[in-house]
């Protein structure tokens, strides 16, 4: 896609489905930052034996938050490249949701919420209205 086409796309209206998909991706990224920050702080103020793994896990979650946050920004700006990272984020979230649902703890509601967000986001991202707004369409046969 040329820069002129991207400029033209960014001036058009953003469909509600695309805005919702971008908001969900941003929400996922912000939750990852919050949970990662919590783990890192708990590691720093907690037991010395678990400090390294908690801090490492927290920083890893914060780093992983970059993918959905960057994708959300691209979706808000109608950049066609952003759909790929957004879809990858949702596909990665589904096994995490499944693992949370397999626990016998308070993590089950989190697993349900994550599964609902991931499936909803995937549906929104493959919607024809969304792909059209991003300038993604079927390739012409040569």
């Amino acid at each position: 896609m040329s820069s002129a086409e991207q400029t033209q796309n960014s001036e058009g209206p953003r469909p509600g489905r695309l805005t919702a998909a971008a908001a969900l991706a941003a929400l996922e990224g912000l939750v990852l930052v919050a949970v990662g920050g919590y783990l890192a702080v708990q590691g720093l103020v907690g037991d010395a034996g678990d400090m390294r793994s908690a801090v490492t896990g927290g920083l890893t979650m914060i780093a992983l938050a970059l993918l959905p946050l960057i994708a959300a920004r691209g979706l808000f700006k109608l950049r066609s490249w952003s759909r790929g990272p957004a879809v990858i984020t949702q596909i990665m979230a589904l096994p995490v949701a499944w693992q949370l649902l397999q626990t016998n703890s308070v993590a089950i509601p989190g697993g349900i919420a994550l599964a609902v967000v991931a499936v909803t986001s995937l549906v929104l991202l493959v919607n024809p209205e969304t792909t059209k707004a991003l300038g993604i369409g079927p390739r012409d046969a040569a």
Side-chain angles (χ1 to χ4, degrees):
M1 177 179 273
S2 71
S3 61
E5 289 176 274
Q6 282 187 343
T7 303
Q8 183 181 13
N9 280 350
S10 63
E11 293 173 359
R14 184 176 41 249
R17 289 180 177 101
L18 182 56
T19 302
L24 289 173
L27 175 66
E28 285 174 320
L30 293 174
V31 168
L32 281 171
V33 168
V35 172
Y38 174 79
L39 286 175
V41 169
Q42 286 298 106
L44 290 173
V45 299
D47 183 10
D50 290 337
M51 183 177 92
R52 179 177 286 171
S53 62
V55 171
T56 301
L59 294 176
T60 300
M61 290 188 80
I62 292 169
L64 287 173
L66 292 175
L67 184 64
L69 290 173
I70 291 169
R73 185 172 188 265
L75 291 171
F76 274 122
K77 293 182 167 259
L78 298 173
R79 302 295 190 245
S80 62
W81 59 263
S82 61
R83 190 176 83 147
V87 168
I88 290 168
T89 299
Q90 306 320 315
I91 291 171
M92 288 175 16
L94 290 172
V96 174
W98 179 255
Q99 287 300 315
L100 291 173
L101 291 171
Q102 301 305 307
T103 64
N104 290 326
S105 69
V106 296
I108 291 173
I112 293 169
L114 182 58
V116 167
V117 168
V119 170
T120 302
S121 295
L122 282 170
V123 169
L124 293 170
L125 289 166
V126 299
N127 184 280
E129 186 179 324
T130 300
T131 56
K132 182 180 177 186
L134 292 172
I136 303 169
R139 303 210 189 273
D140 294 331

